[in-house]
Amino acid sequence: MSQRPTPPAEPKQLIVCGWDEVFIWSLDVAQGASPHKIWSWRAAGREDLPPALRRQFGTTDECKPLDRGRRILITSSGGGVALVDRPSDRVLFCAHAPNAHSAEMLPGQRIAVASSHAADRGGDQLLVFDLAVPDRPCTSAPLPWAHGVVWDDVRRKLYALGQRDLRVYSLADWSSATPRLQPEAAEQWPGADDAHECGHDLYPVPGTDLLSVTASRATWLFDRDAQTFQPHPVLADCAHVKSVCHHPDGTVVYVQAEGEHWWSEAIHLLHPDRELRVPGEHFYKARWNVAAGS
């Protein structure tokens, strides 16, 4: 009896940001073919964004998929935050957050934004916005150099990455008009007390209790149950890694800053290993278009 041939793997979708454009590549990892762009978003000229906000998406630094990529959560160090609906190409929500570096959907139709250091402009904190009231945060919590934020729906906890620690919050009075982020814990990775250290990226590893954590000089995995850090099995000694994202099938994508820049012209893949280099690009983060916790 002959065996049926194994069907070829479907191309993966990779969401990329770093300059004024957020786009999605269709990528056949197994075949090694060149990726091709299947979706693109720029703030410039958009009628569904206030004119002042359009100028605040010049350096995008988060491109997080929701609903398996039907919606994309975008932030920019220029101060912009947007939730974009791909099928309709409409901006569903937009707000200003100083030096925004990441965002996450929370229960109750709210969005948490990591607002990083912005001298005299109100950064160094987590800002929480209600989707229905984008012009002002409904609550906040201090967090120096806030860079990453992840909601854990199983544990009902919010994890947020700052300059030297990973903080854990619960949601207090969440159904009221005065919600709060209640601090639960603060965990430092080894070497985090160094004056030059700074956290960069925080993202779940699908199918595990782990969060990937990148910092100025190393990359870690944080166990949410044991509340311990362990070196990343491949990227432990890699400095200035701006993002790491694990696909459920084991493929890893990461962006590592080149030279003195905050950006890179290359995106790196592991399992299988490959480099995607585009001269002139300014890559900062790359996310697989899958549910972050799957």
Side-chain angles (χ1 to χ4, degrees):
M1 183 177 178
S2 61
Q3 289 185 329
R4 291 183 178 180
T6 302
E10 292 186 3
K12 294 180 172 65
Q13 291 186 4
L14 194 60
I15 312 172
V16 183
C17 64
W19 209 229
D20 65 337
E21 180 188 20
V22 176
F23 61 87
I24 298 180
W25 269 340
S26 179
L27 177 64
D28 192 328
V29 174
Q31 297 298 320
S34 298
H36 64 276
K37 194 179 296 185
I38 60 173
W39 181 80
S40 174
W41 184 89
R42 281 187 169 96
R46 295 196 64 97
E47 295 298 325
D48 51 2
L49 279 175
L53 265 182
R54 295 173 202 165
R55 299 190 295 269
Q56 295 178 4
F57 286 90
T59 49
T60 55
D61 50 24
E62 183 62 280
C63 46
K64 189 176 290 187
L66 305 174
D67 303 332
R68 294 196 174 272
R70 287 182 59 86
R71 298 182 295 163
I72 308 292
L73 196 47
I74 299 169
T75 66
S76 170
S77 58
V81 182
L83 178 62
V84 178
D85 181 74
R86 280 182 61 203
S88 66
D89 195 39
R90 291 190 303 113
V91 174
L92 304 177
F93 165 87
C94 59
H96 170 72
N99 201 3
H101 262 73
S102 188
E104 180 74 301
M105 286 296 302
L106 298 179
Q109 293 297 293
R110 289 173 175 150
I111 292 178
V113 180
S115 177
S116 193
H117 184 70
D120 303 321
R121 291 192 291 121
D124 288 319
Q125 60 182 325
L126 294 177
L127 300 174
V128 178
F129 293 88
D130 196 302
L131 285 181
V133 189
D135 58 334
R136 64 183 186 277
C138 61
T139 191
S140 62
L143 181 59
W145 295 86
H147 263 63
V149 60
V150 167
W151 170 248
D152 185 327
D153 202 46
V154 174
R155 296 167 179 82
R156 307 301 287 180
K157 303 293 184 185
L158 181 67
Y159 293 81
L161 184 66
Q163 183 173 15
R164 294 191 177 93
D165 57 17
L166 175 61
R167 300 190 185 183
V168 187
Y169 303 85
S170 58
L171 308 183
D173 302 323
W174 209 247
S175 59
S176 74
T178 55
R180 295 180 294 111
L181 295 176
Q182 180 66 40
E184 298 282 341
E187 307 289 345
Q188 281 197 338
W189 55 91
D193 56 353
D194 185 280
H196 300 290
E197 188 71 333
C198 185
H200 284 292
D201 188 44
L202 181 69
Y203 215 69
V205 179
T208 76
D209 297 318
L210 304 174
L211 298 172
S212 63
V213 178
T214 77
S216 298
R217 298 187 299 180
T219 301
W220 306 88
L221 295 174
F222 177 76
D223 188 312
R224 283 174 273 187
D225 286 337
Q227 295 187 320
T228 56
F229 290 91
Q230 62 193 62
H232 190 281
V234 179
L235 303 174
D237 298 324
C238 292
H240 305 299
V241 174
K242 300 302 182 178
S243 74
V244 176
C245 192
H246 294 72
H247 194 280
D249 71 1
T251 310
V252 179
V253 61
Y254 70 98
V255 178
Q256 184 177 24
E258 297 177 316
E260 298 299 318
H261 304 301
W262 55 261
W263 45 266
S264 174
E265 292 184 340
I267 291 174
H268 304 276
L269 301 176
L270 302 172
H271 318 306
D273 295 0
R274 186 181 175 191
E275 180 186 89
L276 303 172
R277 181 167 291 276
V278 182
E281 269 290 2
H282 294 70
F283 298 127
Y284 187 77
K285 284 182 182 173
R287 305 297 195 197
W288 295 118
N289 189 11
V290 296
S294 65

